[in-house]
Amino acid sequence: MAENKKKSIKIEISLLNTVEQTNEYLNEILNQVDIARSDLSVSYEFSEQDLIEKLIIIFQSNEEAEKFKDYIEITENMERYKFKSVDISQCETELTRRFSTCSTDSFQFINEDKQTEYIEAIPGDCPSFNNMEDNILPSLPNNSVHTNNILEFYFDKEIRDVDLDIILLFLENLRKSGGGEYVDYTLDSKKRLLNVEYKSHMNKIKVLNKRFLQVKIDSIEYNIIANEPLDIQSFKQNNMVIILRNIQDSWLRDEIINLYAENLVLNDDSSNDVAKIIKSLIFPNTVYVQYKHNFDLELLKKRYEKKNIINKIKIEYLQAFASKIVLVGLFDKNTRPISKDLIEMYFTNKRRSGSNPYLSIHEREPFLLLSYDSQENCEAICSKAHKIGEHELVVECLYNYELFENYIKEFSDSAKINLAEQAKIIENDEKKLEIKNLKEEENKDKEIVQSKDETLYKLIDKNNNQENKVDEKIEPKIEDKPIRDSEKMQEINPQNMKVEKLEFKKPYFKIDSVKEPKIKLLKIFQNFSEHLAKQLNDVQSSLELNTLNDRLELNCECTHDLPSVLVEYKEVKKKWQIDIENLIKKFFEQFKIENIKIENPNEVLKNVQFDNTKVYLKKLDDLEQNSFYEIAGYDDDVDNLIIKIQEVENSIPLIVDQIEGLELYQIRILFVVKYIRKLKEKYPNLQVVIKHKSLKISLKGKQKEIDDAKLLCNNILNKINYRDLAIGQRETKFVAKREIDILNWLREKNLECVLMADNDRHLVRMYYIDFEPAKTCKNEIESIIIAREISSDLKQGISDEFTRNFIQMHSNDERVYLEEENDVIYLSGFKTNVEELFSEFIRNSILNQ
């Protein structure tokens, strides 16, 4: 069947420039004329020196093409961007199409001379796949396309009004933040999200390259994350999902919502059934209804207006959008907090999360917003359960940003109210506790005094009895003169009596690593712990570190003698606690903990020297490139180590090399076993270009990366085996003529083999690495590829014009090949397609006789 051909506008620009400079110029021009790069198809032609000599841009809109052409043809712009000439023409958009609907990394290319070639590329490796070679361009941070110079800065704490001007100066400082002159800025109502529009696009890129920033103002330390802003306005309507609110749990159990959802989009042919109903884990009484097909939004709204009440409860309907964003809570399903760093590492780990890493991350406390390349990817992520240890993550697609924004506002307001109420409760409890303690201590004083009095009186009585007995023995007939109690009291000295002293609990101070993360440095550095213990000993305090689950706890207890009087005890306790708190705070101010990304850790750390008694370096992931490290220690030592790492990183030279002398089957095997992808997963910064026309591989990166790339290539090529398959002359010709169909079939069957036709010997040579896929391929290829002929006997009574039209109509059909030779039409290809085409010829020939 003939394909529909849509005309587009092609602009070809002649120049001679590097990939980086051309990419920068193109982004700047698109920004000036307000055209989104995602709406274009961009490709390049390279010179022998690997410089771009032709920039090819395909526009779907005539208006955008004219606007672009008018801007660049201005004399000043031609000189500025070093363009030599500009040509504009029409082209057919069928020049590029995917191999199969499920493929994300294979494409078919058709030249102007209609010669087909096969190429594989990794998504995100280059912005366009129209070129005949697999050109890998340096990707911008997060691989996202934005047509403005706005950046979003998220702060870990609320920005003080007095600090805003200094923060803006910091974000303008090229050396410290990578930024430059800004045009405008906006600060959100919570004063934690700052949007800054830079004058130059390059400043934006430099800030994004740093991403993690930090500025200290009057002992207040701000940790900042830079991101592309969320482009909320570009969210497209999702016509397969709706949002319903005020939904009761019993309705889900009784399938009331299924019935209601079906009624909203019910068609006469019953084609729009409900695929799934998902209860929101975040928004209360909210469900997402997913349908099997697109629905008519206007019809749905009309039906909703007619019926939106169930059991006297009004159902709220909200429109869903394809936001390409996944919501992840900073808490688990049991509302226990989860570290943001852990969540980031989990979702950059493809094996654990089940998806490619996110493009960008945005924090909206208490949630993280992860941006992906497609809505389908988001829904696939949200369809599976995610766990980090014992924590079951709260993960959900963001279908409506306004719903989320309102929820965050309500959450923030209620949190403030709860905090205020909690503070009042704590204050009242503290007052009650203080009164209770005072009463208990007063009662103790009374008991002690009473105990003293009782002891005294007992001693008096005992002495009286003893004296009476003595007197009776010595002078039994003489009566003693009675002695008053006051006189007896004078004879007894209370200082000689052992009376129990009043004792109070020793004051203590406690803080854990959740409130002060730098406590963990005391475990890492023995000398840090010794210094703190000595300082605490000078103010008569002990030091004890305890490990509790995943946190550390620091305990200090008073060691000097305490007074026995309540008022004096309280004064000593208060002063001691203030002194210890200030000492601990001042002690930890001299340290710093930073996260830094090192592109080439193996080479960098080999050349960086530092004192591991003052600073330490810890790897946070298992990547060999672009790894995140934690640096902790003394403030100045941490800063110096970061500077050294950056200096060494910048000094590592990039090497340009290539692997030559390859055969076509070797090139194809490298594609089949995903050679580029394996390198990209291990070395994201390595530029790999497989040039199948010149049968070579170009490499650009660090020396170790290139050595490993060559070693991997040799290991793959050394494992290649082959076997010749005799499948017939016509069948062999089909394999030669329809290579793309064969490649598609191999991919569909997940067979890591390459088939190359030898027409002279009527053989197909099969190249492979693993025997089992090759065995399967052999068995299937011999049974699935057939040939049939339409002889002159079958063509009797049929006009030559009908035969010519039939051949012409089906000459480009996929999975089948037609040719006429000696008045016989030969059909060859996949069995089903050949049989269908043969039957169609017989059927139509009878009707046309």
Side-chain angles (χ1 to χ4, degrees):
M1 299 297 292
E3 294 183 0
N4 294 326
K5 299 179 180 180
K6 182 180 176 182
K7 296 292 184 180
S8 299
I9 304 300
K10 178 170 70 173
I11 291 183
E12 296 184 4
I13 302 172
S14 298
L15 68 161
L16 193 64
N17 215 332
T18 63
V19 173
E20 293 85 354
Q21 192 67 63
T22 304
N23 205 31
E24 179 185 340
Y25 285 163
L26 179 58
N27 287 332
E28 183 177 331
I29 295 168
L30 293 174
N31 185 33
Q32 292 294 331
V33 296
D34 196 22
I35 297 175
R37 184 160 180 167
S38 56
D39 297 334
L40 312 176
S41 180
V42 183
S43 59
Y44 301 85
E45 288 185 6
F46 287 80
S47 66
E48 290 297 326
Q49 293 78 29
D50 283 335
L51 295 175
I52 295 176
E53 60 182 9
K54 184 172 286 187
L55 171 63
I56 304 166
I57 309 172
I58 308 295
F59 293 81
Q60 303 300 322
S61 164
N62 291 346
E63 182 182 350
E64 287 186 346
E66 289 296 330
K67 184 164 60 172
F68 183 90
K69 180 174 177 290
D70 290 342
Y71 179 81
I72 62 174
E73 282 189 337
I74 298 171
T75 305
E76 292 82 1
N77 292 338
M78 291 287 286
E79 293 175 355
R80 169 176 165 69
Y81 301 122
K82 302 175 184 177
F83 294 159
K84 297 178 181 178
S85 64
V86 179
D87 295 317
I88 186 168
S89 61
Q90 284 192 336
C91 68
E92 296 173 358
T93 54
E94 70 164 357
L95 288 178
T96 304
R97 66 176 183 265
R98 290 186 183 272
F99 268 157
S100 64
T101 55
C102 64
S103 172
T104 58
D105 55 8
S106 292
F107 294 82
Q108 176 179 347
F109 297 95
I110 305 177
N111 293 340
E112 293 176 357
D113 59 0
K114 301 298 179 184
Q115 293 296 316
T116 59
E117 299 196 45
Y118 167 73
I119 190 169
E120 173 174 292
I122 309 303
D125 285 349
C126 61
S128 171
F129 299 96
N130 288 346
N131 193 24
M132 285 302 302
E133 294 180 353
D134 185 15
N135 299 311
I136 309 273
L137 297 180
S139 56
L140 295 177
N142 301 332
N143 293 341
S144 55
V145 179
H146 291 266
T147 58
N148 55 49
N149 295 332
I150 298 175
L151 271 185
E152 171 189 292
F153 296 95
Y154 188 82
F155 290 73
D156 65 337
K157 56 179 68 68
E158 188 176 301
I159 301 174
R160 299 187 306 177
D161 293 337
V162 294
D163 293 343
L164 180 59
D165 289 337
I166 300 174
I167 288 171
L168 289 169
L169 287 172
F170 169 77
L171 296 177
E172 270 190 311
N173 190 299
L174 178 64
R175 183 176 60 84
K176 292 187 175 181
S177 68
E181 185 180 350
Y182 65 88
V183 178
D184 196 8
Y185 72 89
T186 55
L187 181 64
D188 78 331
S189 56
K190 296 179 185 176
K191 298 187 177 179
R192 291 186 65 181
L193 194 65
L194 178 67
N195 285 312
V196 176
E197 182 179 1
Y198 284 103
K199 190 173 181 180
S200 166
H201 187 71
M202 284 309 298
N203 290 128
K204 173 181 175 177
I205 299 303
K206 288 175 181 177
V207 175
L208 279 175
N209 283 333
K210 290 196 171 188
R211 191 178 178 218
F212 297 100
L213 306 173
Q214 192 178 71
V215 59
K216 192 172 182 180
I217 306 172
D218 296 335
S219 77
I220 303 259
E221 190 173 79
Y222 293 99
N223 293 298
I224 313 166
I225 300 176
N227 271 316
E228 290 279 12
L230 282 173
D231 189 8
I232 302 167
Q233 304 301 324
S234 68
F235 293 168
K236 294 181 180 179
Q237 179 180 304
N238 190 331
N239 281 352
M240 291 181 70
V241 179
I242 62 170
I243 305 171
L244 298 178
R245 306 201 71 198
N246 299 334
I247 304 303
Q248 310 302 304
D249 287 340
S250 60
W251 296 356
L252 292 170
R253 291 193 299 271
D254 299 337
E255 295 194 351
I256 294 174
I257 289 305
N258 291 64
L259 181 62
Y260 181 77
E262 285 181 3
N263 184 66
L264 286 177
V265 295
L266 189 62
N267 295 328
D268 294 335
D269 59 358
S270 301
S271 63
N272 221 328
D273 296 331
V274 174
K276 192 188 301 183
I277 292 181
I278 303 169
K279 188 177 186 298
S280 174
L281 300 172
I282 297 171
F283 309 114
N285 301 324
T286 302
V287 298
Y288 308 116
V289 181
Q290 293 183 356
Y291 293 97
K292 294 179 181 177
H293 310 286
N294 289 333
F295 52 74
D296 187 332
L297 183 61
E298 295 303 320
L299 178 63
L300 184 144
K301 287 181 179 178
K302 288 178 183 177
R303 291 189 174 179
Y304 168 75
E305 292 298 330
K306 288 181 181 179
K307 183 67 177 177
N308 54 30
I309 296 177
I310 298 178
N311 296 341
K312 298 181 181 180
I313 299 176
K314 184 173 181 180
I315 296 176
E316 183 183 350
Y317 156 77
L318 290 176
Q319 192 171 334
F321 296 88
S323 67
K324 304 180 187 177
I325 290 172
V326 170
L327 273 177
V328 182
L330 290 168
F331 51 88
D332 65 9
K333 290 186 177 180
N334 295 321
T335 68
R336 295 175 298 179
I338 309 174
S339 164
K340 175 190 168 187
D341 295 331
L342 284 177
I343 294 174
E344 284 193 40
M345 284 190 281
Y346 177 87
F347 283 98
T348 51
N349 188 315
K350 184 177 180 180
R351 180 178 62 82
R352 290 182 178 271
S353 66
S355 169
N356 289 325
Y358 51 80
L359 301 180
S360 64
I361 185 168
H362 307 262
E363 187 171 354
R364 301 288 188 276
E365 193 175 0
F367 295 96
L368 294 179
L369 282 71
L370 310 182
S371 176
Y372 288 89
D373 57 355
S374 70
Q375 186 65 23
E376 291 75 16
N377 203 2
C378 294
E379 290 173 352
I381 291 167
C382 296
S383 66
K384 64 172 285 190
H386 300 273
K387 287 185 72 175
I388 300 178
E390 297 178 351
H391 297 282
E392 192 171 352
L393 302 185
V394 176
V395 180
E396 196 166 294
C397 283
L398 177 59
Y399 286 111
N400 188 301
Y401 190 82
E402 187 178 353
L403 170 66
F404 171 71
E405 206 169 34
N406 292 336
Y407 176 79
I408 288 295
K409 186 177 183 301
E410 291 171 7
F411 181 89
S412 178
D413 294 341
S414 63
K416 288 178 181 177
I417 293 169
N418 291 337
L419 285 172
E421 291 176 352
Q422 192 177 359
K424 287 181 181 178
I425 292 169
I426 292 170
E427 186 179 354
N428 292 334
D429 288 346
E430 286 178 348
K431 285 182 180 178
K432 289 177 183 177
L433 184 62
E434 188 174 355
I435 292 169
K436 183 181 177 182
N437 290 337
L438 284 170
K439 286 182 179 179
E440 287 178 356
E441 288 168 358
E442 287 175 2
N443 290 335
K444 282 183 181 178
D445 290 343
K446 288 179 181 178
E447 288 174 4
I448 290 168
V449 171
Q450 187 178 355
S451 174
K452 289 179 180 179
D453 291 342
E454 289 175 356
T455 305
L456 287 170
Y457 283 119
K458 284 178 181 177
L459 286 169
I460 290 169
D461 290 341
K462 185 177 180 183
N463 289 335
N464 283 339
N465 292 333
Q466 288 177 351
E467 288 172 1
N468 289 337
K469 288 179 180 179
V470 172
D471 290 341
E472 286 176 2
K473 288 180 180 179
I474 298 172
E475 298 177 354
K477 296 181 178 179
I478 300 173
E479 294 183 359
D480 291 335
K481 184 180 178 181
I483 301 174
R484 293 193 298 269
D485 289 344
S486 59
E487 292 175 356
K488 292 178 182 178
M489 288 290 289
Q490 289 174 1
E491 293 175 6
I492 299 170
N493 185 3
Q495 293 179 357
N496 296 328
M497 294 163 37
K498 294 182 179 180
V499 180
E500 185 180 354
K501 290 184 179 180
L502 185 62
E503 293 185 0
F504 299 101
K505 186 178 180 181
K506 290 189 176 183
Y508 68 93
F509 174 82
K510 181 169 67 176
I511 187 171
D512 61 28
S513 55
V514 176
K515 293 181 181 178
E516 178 51 82
K518 297 173 187 175
I519 289 177
K520 66 181 181 181
L521 298 180
L522 301 178
K523 280 281 188 182
I524 298 168
F525 299 102
Q526 184 66 31
N527 57 330
F528 287 12
S529 182
E530 291 171 357
H531 292 334
L532 179 58
K534 185 177 183 305
Q535 293 182 32
L536 289 170
N537 187 57
D538 292 342
V539 292
Q540 293 183 303
S541 173
S542 64
L543 171 65
E544 185 180 1
L545 280 176
N546 298 320
T547 303
L548 300 173
N549 297 328
D550 57 347
R551 60 190 175 91
L552 277 173
E553 189 177 80
L554 185 150
N555 294 297
C556 301
E557 188 176 74
C558 182
T559 57
H560 61 60
D561 295 333
L562 299 173
S564 59
V565 180
L566 179 62
V567 176
E568 293 178 5
Y569 167 77
K570 285 186 174 181
E571 290 177 358
V572 170
K573 176 183 177 182
K574 185 176 180 181
K575 182 179 183 304
W576 180 87
Q577 287 178 332
I578 292 172
D579 290 345
I580 294 299
E581 189 173 351
N582 290 336
L583 187 152
I584 295 290
K585 182 180 177 182
K586 187 175 180 182
F587 178 81
F588 285 116
E589 278 180 354
Q590 62 186 320
F591 305 116
K592 179 187 283 189
I593 299 176
E594 291 276 0
N595 286 341
I596 183 173
K597 184 172 77 171
I598 305 179
E599 291 184 358
N600 301 280
N602 293 333
E603 295 185 47
V604 169
L605 300 182
K606 206 165 46 176
N607 298 293
V608 172
Q609 304 296 326
F610 60 92
D611 186 351
N612 55 15
T613 63
K614 295 182 178 180
V615 64
Y616 93 110
L617 202 61
K618 179 184 176 183
K619 195 171 186 179
L620 300 177
D621 53 45
D622 55 357
L623 302 175
E624 293 199 28
Q625 276 196 333
N626 292 335
S627 294
F628 280 97
Y629 281 78
E630 183 180 72
I631 305 177
Y634 286 106
D635 198 319
D636 292 340
D637 293 294
V638 169
D639 289 340
N640 291 335
L641 180 55
I642 291 174
I643 292 171
K644 285 181 182 178
I645 289 172
Q646 290 173 344
E647 288 175 350
V648 173
E649 190 97 73
N650 295 331
S651 67
I652 298 174
L654 291 177
I655 309 298
V656 178
D657 206 340
Q658 58 187 14
I659 303 171
E660 297 181 292
L662 301 176
E663 299 290 338
L664 183 58
Y665 76 88
Q666 293 175 320
I667 290 287
R668 290 189 175 178
I669 281 285
L670 291 173
F671 278 125
V672 165
V673 299
K674 295 180 172 51
Y675 171 69
I676 295 177
R677 180 173 295 176
K678 288 176 181 176
L679 286 175
K680 279 294 178 182
E681 288 175 354
K682 191 173 183 181
Y683 301 117
N685 300 321
L686 178 65
Q687 295 182 32
V688 187
V689 181
I690 293 186
K691 300 183 176 181
H692 61 286
K693 286 179 71 176
S694 53
L695 301 177
K696 65 181 181 180
I697 302 171
S698 293
L699 303 165
K700 184 177 181 181
K702 311 295 184 185
Q703 186 63 59
K704 184 181 183 306
E705 300 169 354
I706 290 176
D707 292 342
D708 284 0
K710 287 183 173 181
L711 181 62
L712 177 61
C713 180
N714 289 332
N715 289 340
I716 292 171
L717 299 183
N718 289 334
K719 293 178 183 178
I720 297 177
N721 296 304
Y722 72 87
R723 182 170 181 175
D724 290 329
L725 309 177
I727 61 173
Q729 177 183 355
R730 298 298 169 184
E731 290 86 343
T732 303
K733 200 163 190 179
F734 164 74
V735 173
K737 294 293 185 179
R738 291 289 186 266
E739 284 187 333
I740 298 303
D741 294 334
I742 294 295
L743 291 167
N744 269 335
W745 176 77
L746 290 170
R747 288 180 59 81
E748 289 168 8
K749 296 291 184 179
N750 294 319
L751 298 173
E752 293 188 347
C753 302
V754 170
L755 298 175
M756 304 286 288
D758 186 344
N759 287 324
D760 295 335
R761 297 193 298 156
H762 308 313
L763 295 173
V764 172
R765 178 161 288 185
M766 177 179 63
Y767 295 94
Y768 61 92
I769 290 177
D770 297 323
F771 176 72
E772 285 303 320
K775 182 180 176 182
T776 305
C777 179
K778 173 188 176 298
N779 294 336
E780 293 211 15
I781 206 79
E782 289 176 345
S783 62
I784 202 171
I785 295 180
I786 66 168
R788 293 201 66 169
E789 61 181 51
I790 301 172
S791 64
S792 55
D793 294 338
L794 290 175
K795 291 169 59 181
Q796 281 185 3
I798 300 172
S799 65
D800 292 340
E801 183 181 358
F802 172 81
T803 303
R804 282 195 304 272
N805 289 340
F806 181 82
I807 294 173
Q808 185 175 359
M809 182 183 299
H810 296 286
S811 60
N812 291 323
D813 282 7
E814 294 180 351
R815 302 170 75 90
V816 69
Y817 176 69
L818 289 82
E819 65 176 341
E820 187 175 18
E821 188 177 312
N822 298 327
D823 203 28
V824 177
I825 300 176
Y826 294 97
L827 309 178
S828 57
F830 289 94
K831 186 174 182 179
T832 304
N833 302 81
V834 171
E835 296 292 357
E836 285 178 359
L837 197 57
F838 183 82
S839 299
E840 182 182 339
F841 179 87
I842 300 300
R843 186 172 55 253
N844 291 341
S845 64
I846 294 172
L847 294 174
N848 284 273
Q849 281 182 350

